[in-house]
Amino acid sequence: MRIAILEDDTLQSEMLALWLRDASHDVYCFADARDFMRIAARESFDFFLLDSILPQLSGQEVLEWLRKERNNDTPVVFVTARDAEEDVVAALSGGADDYIVKPVRRWELLARVDAVLRRGRSQGNEQVVEVGPYRFDVTHKQAQLDGAGLELTDKEFDLAVFLFRNLGRLVSRGHMLEAVWGRSPTVATRTVDTHISRVRTKLELRPERGYRLVPAYNFGYRLERVGAEAGEAA
């Protein structure tokens, strides 16, 4: 998972990042709320860990920005020294998914992160992804549309699976690059656009098929259900 931490205590941030990276997550750390918001406005993440006590804006204000201004439903867990009941209630009522009081315990943190992710979108461990007329066998890297095999390169297959695992969610180019190509500075973001075009064509992602790939200017893409497929899912 791609996780962003907003924590102004460097030692605390480094400790949380170490635990999460050891659990195979990709972690980005921010000490400044404005920097966090600037990046979160143009990049997508799978999970946010927020401190509530910050120099500029409070964690509660950042949460409000995510939920109301950005309409961002990415899971949020507060990690904070504040343990008063009113603080917990305010965070959860404002859209937080969980609340952890410092000092943080490693295995509790990882368990709570996993629990929140299980309640939300898929963690991506399933070996067969089936959505509508599409079927992806992750183990053997085989893709089908209406039962017929599709010829995809490895990267096209990985990108298609990533999109269907995030169906309905706006994901950034950087997020797609990291998920499919890894953290490689030699890969340009236009590589995503090229592969998106190929995947759209090969998978026939068009409204008459019930799905479409919608670009978001200077951000990324969203795979959406449309027409009858969307109605069935509602």
Side-chain angles (χ1 to χ4, degrees):
M1 291 290 141
R2 197 182 206 214
I3 298 177
I5 298 174
L6 176 56
E7 167 63 71
D8 64 317
D9 183 326
T10 302
L11 292 178
Q12 177 80 11
S13 180
E14 290 176 350
M15 180 181 69
L16 296 175
L18 175 63
W19 293 348
L20 291 164
R21 287 176 179 136
D22 283 347
S24 300
H25 297 294
D26 292 311
V27 183
Y28 295 80
C29 296
F30 301 89
D32 182 277
R34 296 294 185 189
D35 288 341
F36 170 88
M37 293 165 72
R38 177 174 54 83
I39 298 300
R42 59 183 175 85
E43 286 290 341
S44 55
F45 294 89
D46 297 302
F47 202 93
F48 294 125
L49 283 177
L50 305 182
D51 189 8
S52 61
I53 308 171
L54 298 162
Q56 295 180 327
L57 299 174
S58 69
Q60 191 68 35
E61 289 173 307
V62 173
L63 175 63
E64 184 175 353
W65 174 81
L66 284 169
R67 295 297 191 241
K68 295 183 178 179
E69 292 190 36
R70 297 298 302 176
N71 195 27
N72 189 325
D73 64 353
T74 299
V76 171
V77 170
F78 271 86
V79 179
T80 175
R82 288 184 171 172
D83 60 356
E85 182 180 8
E86 56 266 28
D87 292 320
V88 178
V89 170
L92 296 177
S93 299
D97 296 89
D98 205 346
Y99 196 99
I100 303 174
V101 177
K102 297 176 182 177
V104 185
R105 294 173 293 189
R106 177 174 185 163
W107 300 113
E108 179 185 359
L109 170 74
L110 297 178
R112 285 178 180 267
V113 168
D114 286 344
V116 170
L117 289 171
R118 284 197 302 272
R119 293 199 299 266
R121 62 180 62 89
S122 166
Q123 295 190 65
N125 294 324
E126 68 274 21
Q127 294 306 300
V128 175
V129 178
E130 291 190 80
V131 181
Y134 299 96
R135 185 179 192 275
F136 301 92
D137 181 338
V138 178
T139 302
H140 302 98
K141 286 207 169 186
Q142 295 176 344
Q144 294 180 335
L145 172 58
D146 289 329
L150 297 172
E151 292 295 328
L152 302 177
T153 67
D154 283 351
K155 296 303 183 188
E156 290 167 356
F157 179 90
D158 293 343
L159 180 58
V161 170
F162 178 79
L163 290 168
F164 274 95
R165 280 176 170 163
N166 288 278
L167 182 64
R169 180 188 179 202
L170 181 61
V171 289
S172 66
R173 288 178 176 84
H175 197 165
M176 285 184 272
L177 274 173
E178 188 174 295
V180 177
W181 285 269
R183 282 180 148 181
S184 174
T186 62
V187 179
T189 55
R190 64 177 177 272
T191 299
V192 170
D193 298 317
T194 299
H195 281 72
I196 283 286
S197 178
R198 293 172 183 168
V199 166
R200 178 188 282 118
T201 299
K202 291 184 177 182
L203 270 64
E204 301 179 22
L205 295 172
R206 52 180 186 261
E208 53 266 36
R209 277 286 185 186
Y211 296 84
R212 66 183 176 192
L213 265 172
V214 181
Y217 182 69
N218 279 342
F219 188 89
Y221 294 88
R222 177 189 286 113
L223 177 61
E224 297 179 339
R225 283 190 176 97
V226 296
E229 288 281 353
E232 292 169 6

